[in-house]
Amino acid sequence: MLKVFYIYNSYLVFNSAQGIHINELVNSFPSSPKLYCIGPGTDSFLVNYITIPSVIPKYNSLKVFKVLLQVFNDIIELCYLLKFINRYKPDLFLIRSGFFISPFILSRFFNIPIISEINGLGEAQRRLKNEYKILCFILSKLDEQMLKCSNKVIVVSPELKYKIAKLYNIDLDKILTISNGVNTHLFNVLDSECCKKKINFLSRYKYICYVGSFAPWHGLENLIDAAPLILKEYPNAKFVLIGDGKEKNSIKKRIIDKNLLSNFILVDSLPHKSIPIYINACDLCVILKRKDIPGSPLKLREYMACGKPVVATKSPDFDVLTKCSAGILVDPENILELSNAITGLLQNKDL
């Protein structure tokens, strides 16, 4: 039987996008080949899960300290992977997005092919996180070498495929596109009024929903800036922002500074099974990701599976919305265009 090591390098929080992605993949994997999920720990149960001890940096501001700890982690990972390779004899490494060295060293030594899975443009995301330029440069070069050493690369969107190929000078034939999907047993159309009652939403309000991380590339500041124009047309509009992330405090401050706190409902990360209730309780949903950050957000198809219209960034990654007549594409930085799309949907029930 073919044996696969699925390797990732951060603690697996089930309610996070990565946690959901890995859980869905592992639980949906066929019985043959056999999959072993390998990482630094998880808060949920996964079959054939193998833990590699990890030293997690506590002080995010100390970049040099983080790099030293990463080197130490790589040494630990190398030793443990060597032990697991000898025990389980894997035929393939499947590498989740992240910073890795040891699997690539061992793949060469043991002649084990590698498939790398890329869910975002790491270089651009690091830049928006204000990482040190020299650190970004080093990590970008490591990314390039790892992708070139991979036998195949899986990306989640056509746009990401072309950007990865151009940025790292990789043959397009080496890159496969597999978009993120959705669990339609969990996400489906529910009665909106019943969902509103479950979470104490009131029928007299119009609810506009965002689900996801509060990251600098998700454009939530544009929704806040568009809110006064939307509220001028719909004073009963409420903006529901669900999730956590480094930008949450700055987003909340922006809402307070614009005197909009009564119009926004900020909800912390929820169990994945609760998200469909919130989506179905709302009137429409938004994805305002920056145009230069390609990807295939889980939330896109979760919104669609719940039958909700979507206002999303005008990008090839979201063309599915126009093909399926499921949403409106806008320039998220054009506040007037964004507000008109949202108010237009609220005004036109047939649309």
Side-chain angles (χ1 to χ4, degrees), residues 11 17 32 38 84 102 107 111 115 134 146 159-161 182 185 188 205 232 235 241 256 273 292 298 308 323 332 351:
Y11 186 85
S32 178
I38 300 176
F84 298 143
S102 54
S107 74
N111 196 28
I115 297 176
I134 185 64
M146 291 175 191
E159 188 76 358
L160 184 57
K161 173 177 179 172
V182 60
H185 296 291
N188 48 59
Y205 291 114
K232 188 176 180 180
L241 309 182
I256 294 170
K273 64 182 180 181
D292 58 340
L298 294 173
K308 294 299 173 181
K323 289 176 183 176
L351 180 62

Short mmCIF file of all heavy atoms in Angstrom, two decimals, residues 11 17 32 38 84 102 107 111 115 134 146 159-161 182 185 188 205 232 235 241 256 273 292 298 308 323 332 351:
data_model
loop_
_atom_site.label_atom_id
_atom_site.label_comp_id
_atom_site.label_asym_id
_atom_site.label_seq_id
_atom_site.Cartn_x
_atom_site.Cartn_y
_atom_site.Cartn_z
N TYR A 11 1.08 24.51 14.97
CA TYR A 11 0.08 23.82 15.80
C TYR A 11 -1.29 23.93 15.12
O TYR A 11 -1.70 25.02 14.69
CB TYR A 11 0.04 24.44 17.20
CG TYR A 11 -0.86 23.67 18.14
CD1 TYR A 11 -0.39 22.56 18.84
CD2 TYR A 11 -2.19 24.04 18.32
CE1 TYR A 11 -1.22 21.85 19.70
CE2 TYR A 11 -3.03 23.34 19.17
CZ TYR A 11 -2.55 22.24 19.86
OH TYR A 11 -3.37 21.54 20.70
N ALA A 17 -8.42 28.42 9.41
CA ALA A 17 -8.57 27.99 8.01
C ALA A 17 -7.68 26.79 7.73
O ALA A 17 -8.09 25.83 7.07
CB ALA A 17 -8.22 29.15 7.08
N SER A 32 -6.95 3.89 0.86
CA SER A 32 -5.70 3.59 0.16
C SER A 32 -5.46 4.69 -0.87
O SER A 32 -6.34 4.98 -1.68
CB SER A 32 -5.80 2.23 -0.54
OG SER A 32 -4.61 1.95 -1.25
N ILE A 38 1.60 14.62 9.95
CA ILE A 38 2.74 14.88 10.83
C ILE A 38 2.88 16.37 11.08
O ILE A 38 3.00 17.17 10.15
CB ILE A 38 4.04 14.33 10.20
CG1 ILE A 38 3.92 12.82 9.98
CG2 ILE A 38 5.24 14.65 11.06
CD1 ILE A 38 5.11 12.20 9.27
N PHE A 84 10.78 8.31 11.80
CA PHE A 84 9.50 7.88 11.25
C PHE A 84 9.66 7.26 9.85
O PHE A 84 8.92 6.34 9.49
CB PHE A 84 8.51 9.05 11.19
CG PHE A 84 8.17 9.62 12.54
CD1 PHE A 84 7.99 10.99 12.70
CD2 PHE A 84 8.05 8.81 13.65
CE1 PHE A 84 7.68 11.53 13.94
CE2 PHE A 84 7.74 9.34 14.89
CZ PHE A 84 7.56 10.70 15.04
N SER A 102 14.05 20.14 6.47
CA SER A 102 14.36 18.73 6.72
C SER A 102 13.66 17.75 5.76
O SER A 102 14.32 16.80 5.29
CB SER A 102 14.04 18.36 8.17
OG SER A 102 12.73 18.68 8.52
N SER A 107 14.21 13.78 1.56
CA SER A 107 13.66 13.27 0.29
C SER A 107 14.77 12.95 -0.69
O SER A 107 14.69 11.98 -1.44
CB SER A 107 12.69 14.30 -0.31
OG SER A 107 13.39 15.39 -0.86
N ASN A 111 15.35 9.29 -1.59
CA ASN A 111 14.70 9.26 -2.90
C ASN A 111 13.17 9.18 -2.78
O ASN A 111 12.51 8.37 -3.43
CB ASN A 111 15.23 8.08 -3.73
CG ASN A 111 14.89 8.23 -5.20
OD1 ASN A 111 14.75 9.34 -5.70
ND2 ASN A 111 14.74 7.11 -5.88
N ILE A 115 5.39 16.45 -3.11
CA ILE A 115 4.37 17.35 -3.65
C ILE A 115 4.21 18.50 -2.66
O ILE A 115 3.93 18.27 -1.48
CB ILE A 115 3.02 16.65 -3.87
CG1 ILE A 115 3.16 15.53 -4.90
CG2 ILE A 115 1.97 17.65 -4.32
CD1 ILE A 115 1.90 14.71 -5.09
N ILE A 134 15.47 41.77 4.89
CA ILE A 134 16.47 40.72 4.71
C ILE A 134 15.88 39.35 5.00
O ILE A 134 16.17 38.36 4.32
CB ILE A 134 17.72 40.98 5.61
CG1 ILE A 134 18.81 39.94 5.33
CG2 ILE A 134 17.33 40.99 7.08
CD1 ILE A 134 19.37 39.99 3.94
N MET A 146 12.77 25.27 -2.47
CA MET A 146 11.87 24.18 -2.08
C MET A 146 10.91 23.83 -3.20
O MET A 146 10.63 22.66 -3.48
CB MET A 146 11.12 24.55 -0.81
CG MET A 146 12.00 24.61 0.42
SD MET A 146 11.09 25.20 1.87
CE MET A 146 12.46 25.46 3.02
N GLU A 159 -4.74 32.06 -10.78
CA GLU A 159 -3.95 33.29 -10.62
C GLU A 159 -2.69 33.03 -9.81
O GLU A 159 -1.61 33.52 -10.12
CB GLU A 159 -4.82 34.36 -9.94
CG GLU A 159 -4.19 35.73 -9.90
CD GLU A 159 -4.22 36.47 -11.23
OE1 GLU A 159 -4.71 35.90 -12.23
OE2 GLU A 159 -3.73 37.60 -11.28
N LEU A 160 -2.84 32.23 -8.74
CA LEU A 160 -1.69 31.89 -7.92
C LEU A 160 -0.69 31.05 -8.71
O LEU A 160 0.53 31.21 -8.57
CB LEU A 160 -2.15 31.12 -6.67
CG LEU A 160 -1.09 30.76 -5.64
CD1 LEU A 160 -0.35 31.99 -5.14
CD2 LEU A 160 -1.71 30.00 -4.46
N LYS A 161 -1.18 30.18 -9.57
CA LYS A 161 -0.31 29.35 -10.41
C LYS A 161 0.61 30.22 -11.26
O LYS A 161 1.84 30.01 -11.29
CB LYS A 161 -1.16 28.44 -11.31
CG LYS A 161 -0.37 27.66 -12.33
CD LYS A 161 -1.27 26.73 -13.14
CE LYS A 161 -0.47 25.97 -14.19
NZ LYS A 161 -1.27 24.93 -14.87
N VAL A 182 -15.70 22.84 -0.32
CA VAL A 182 -16.55 23.09 0.85
C VAL A 182 -17.25 21.78 1.24
O VAL A 182 -17.57 20.96 0.39
CB VAL A 182 -17.60 24.19 0.55
CG1 VAL A 182 -18.50 23.79 -0.62
CG2 VAL A 182 -18.43 24.53 1.77
N HIS A 185 -22.12 18.84 3.39
CA HIS A 185 -22.95 18.22 4.43
C HIS A 185 -23.14 19.21 5.58
O HIS A 185 -24.17 19.20 6.26
CB HIS A 185 -22.29 16.94 4.95
CG HIS A 185 -22.17 15.87 3.91
ND1 HIS A 185 -23.26 15.20 3.40
CD2 HIS A 185 -21.08 15.35 3.29
CE1 HIS A 185 -22.85 14.32 2.51
NE2 HIS A 185 -21.53 14.39 2.42
N ASN A 188 -25.00 24.36 3.90
CA ASN A 188 -26.11 24.30 2.96
C ASN A 188 -27.14 25.35 3.33
O ASN A 188 -27.00 26.05 4.34
CB ASN A 188 -26.73 22.89 2.91
CG ASN A 188 -27.00 22.34 4.30
OD1 ASN A 188 -27.73 22.95 5.08
ND2 ASN A 188 -26.39 21.21 4.63
N TYR A 205 -33.28 44.08 10.85
CA TYR A 205 -31.97 44.52 10.38
C TYR A 205 -31.54 43.76 9.12
O TYR A 205 -31.96 42.62 8.89
CB TYR A 205 -30.91 44.31 11.47
CG TYR A 205 -31.07 45.24 12.65
CD1 TYR A 205 -31.39 44.73 13.91
CD2 TYR A 205 -30.89 46.62 12.52
CE1 TYR A 205 -31.53 45.58 15.00
CE2 TYR A 205 -31.03 47.47 13.61
CZ TYR A 205 -31.35 46.94 14.85
OH TYR A 205 -31.50 47.78 15.92
N LYS A 232 -26.32 55.21 4.95
CA LYS A 232 -27.14 56.34 4.47
C LYS A 232 -28.37 55.83 3.73
O LYS A 232 -29.46 56.38 3.83
CB LYS A 232 -26.29 57.22 3.55
CG LYS A 232 -26.95 58.52 3.15
CD LYS A 232 -26.00 59.38 2.32
CE LYS A 232 -26.67 60.69 1.91
NZ LYS A 232 -25.75 61.53 1.10
N PRO A 235 -30.13 52.52 7.03
CA PRO A 235 -29.74 52.77 8.43
C PRO A 235 -29.85 51.53 9.32
O PRO A 235 -29.24 51.48 10.39
CB PRO A 235 -30.74 53.86 8.88
CG PRO A 235 -31.26 54.47 7.62
CD PRO A 235 -31.26 53.36 6.61
N LEU A 241 -18.64 40.72 11.55
CA LEU A 241 -17.27 40.30 11.26
C LEU A 241 -16.90 39.15 12.20
O LEU A 241 -16.83 39.35 13.42
CB LEU A 241 -16.29 41.45 11.43
CG LEU A 241 -16.62 42.77 10.72
CD1 LEU A 241 -15.51 43.79 10.95
CD2 LEU A 241 -16.85 42.55 9.23
N ILE A 256 -14.38 52.31 15.84
CA ILE A 256 -14.65 53.27 16.93
C ILE A 256 -14.37 54.69 16.47
O ILE A 256 -15.16 55.61 16.72
CB ILE A 256 -13.82 52.91 18.18
CG1 ILE A 256 -14.29 51.57 18.76
CG2 ILE A 256 -13.90 54.01 19.23
CD1 ILE A 256 -13.39 51.01 19.85
N LYS A 273 -18.77 24.21 12.87
CA LYS A 273 -20.16 23.78 12.69
C LYS A 273 -21.15 24.90 12.96
O LYS A 273 -22.32 24.82 12.57
CB LYS A 273 -20.47 22.58 13.60
CG LYS A 273 -20.37 22.88 15.08
CD LYS A 273 -20.64 21.65 15.92
CE LYS A 273 -20.53 21.95 17.42
NZ LYS A 273 -20.77 20.73 18.24
N ASP A 292 -3.70 41.86 -5.31
CA ASP A 292 -2.36 41.32 -5.55
C ASP A 292 -2.03 40.12 -4.67
O ASP A 292 -0.90 39.63 -4.68
CB ASP A 292 -1.31 42.42 -5.33
CG ASP A 292 -1.38 43.03 -3.93
OD1 ASP A 292 -2.43 42.88 -3.28
OD2 ASP A 292 -0.38 43.64 -3.49
N LEU A 298 -11.60 29.60 1.71
CA LEU A 298 -12.64 28.64 2.07
C LEU A 298 -14.01 29.31 2.12
O LEU A 298 -15.03 28.72 1.77
CB LEU A 298 -12.33 28.02 3.44
CG LEU A 298 -11.08 27.14 3.55
CD1 LEU A 298 -10.83 26.76 5.00
CD2 LEU A 298 -11.22 25.88 2.71
N LYS A 308 -25.99 32.35 -0.40
CA LYS A 308 -25.94 33.79 -0.16
C LYS A 308 -25.23 34.53 -1.29
O LYS A 308 -24.20 34.07 -1.78
CB LYS A 308 -25.21 34.08 1.16
CG LYS A 308 -25.94 33.56 2.38
CD LYS A 308 -27.31 34.21 2.52
CE LYS A 308 -28.13 33.57 3.63
NZ LYS A 308 -29.47 34.19 3.76
N LYS A 323 -19.74 33.41 -13.28
CA LYS A 323 -20.13 32.25 -14.07
C LYS A 323 -21.39 31.60 -13.52
O LYS A 323 -22.21 31.07 -14.27
CB LYS A 323 -18.99 31.23 -14.11
CG LYS A 323 -17.79 31.68 -14.94
CD LYS A 323 -16.65 30.67 -14.85
CE LYS A 323 -15.43 31.15 -15.63
NZ LYS A 323 -14.27 30.23 -15.47
N PRO A 332 -12.38 46.56 -4.44
CA PRO A 332 -12.67 46.79 -3.02
C PRO A 332 -12.14 48.12 -2.49
O PRO A 332 -12.63 48.62 -1.47
CB PRO A 332 -11.98 45.62 -2.31
CG PRO A 332 -10.92 45.17 -3.25
CD PRO A 332 -11.44 45.44 -4.63
N LEU A 351 -32.55 40.14 -7.47
CA LEU A 351 -31.12 40.04 -7.78
C LEU A 351 -30.40 39.26 -6.71
O LEU A 351 -29.56 38.40 -6.99
CB LEU A 351 -30.50 41.44 -7.93
CG LEU A 351 -29.01 41.50 -8.25
CD1 LEU A 351 -28.70 40.84 -9.59
CD2 LEU A 351 -28.53 42.95 -8.26
#
